[in-house]
């Protein structure tokens, strides 16, 4: 079993090089589509995205006004820079 340090090391630069940015964008679109399909017309007081990465899912939820308050938890330190929309996730 991997320890926390080795898991963190795997994801430490995951968002830094952009190699999987297209995949993450598609995955975020699919995640929000699944939420909307399962809970059509629902809105939420709070949403916490565990493993939020660069915040693509939260960004899409925000665009659709699906939650009043959005929160994020991410293990990778490479997302500590501002997101593509100029907003920091921390």
């Amino acid at each position: 079993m991997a320890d926390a340090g080795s898991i963190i090391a795997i994801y430490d630069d995951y968002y830094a090089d952009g190699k999987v940015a297209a995949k993450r964008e598609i995955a975020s679109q699919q995640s929000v589509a699944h939420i909307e399909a399962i809970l059509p017309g629902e809105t939420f007081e709070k949403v916490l995205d565990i493993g939020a990465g660069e915040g693509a899912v939260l960004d899409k939820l925000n665009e659709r006004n699906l939650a009043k308050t959005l929160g994020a938890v991410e293990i990778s330190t490479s997302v500590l820079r501002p997101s593509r929309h100029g907003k920091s996730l921390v």
Side-chain angles (χ1 to χ4, degrees):
M1 182 173 187
D3 64 7
S6 65
I7 293 170
I8 290 170
I10 291 169
Y11 290 99
D12 194 41
D13 64 350
Y14 185 72
Y15 300 96
D17 64 12
K19 289 181 181 176
V20 292
K23 175 204 142 314
R24 290 193 311 266
E25 179 62 24
I26 292 166
S28 69
Q29 292 171 4
Q30 292 173 333
S31 294
V32 173
H34 293 157
I35 293 167
E36 291 177 324
I38 293 168
L39 301 164
E42 292 288 328
T43 58
F44 306 93
E45 192 66 32
K46 298 177 183 180
V47 170
L48 177 62
D49 186 358
I50 307 296
E54 294 178 304
V57 170
L58 293 176
D59 190 47
K60 287 170 182 53
L61 292 174
N62 188 51
E63 288 172 358
R64 291 169 172 79
N65 294 314
L66 291 178
K68 292 181 182 177
T69 303
L70 301 169
V73 175
E74 176 55 48
I75 194 171
S76 174
T77 58
S78 62
V79 298
L80 295 176
R81 59 181 169 60
S83 72
R84 62 195 150 134
H85 300 289
K87 299 176 275 187
S88 176
L89 294 178
V90 290

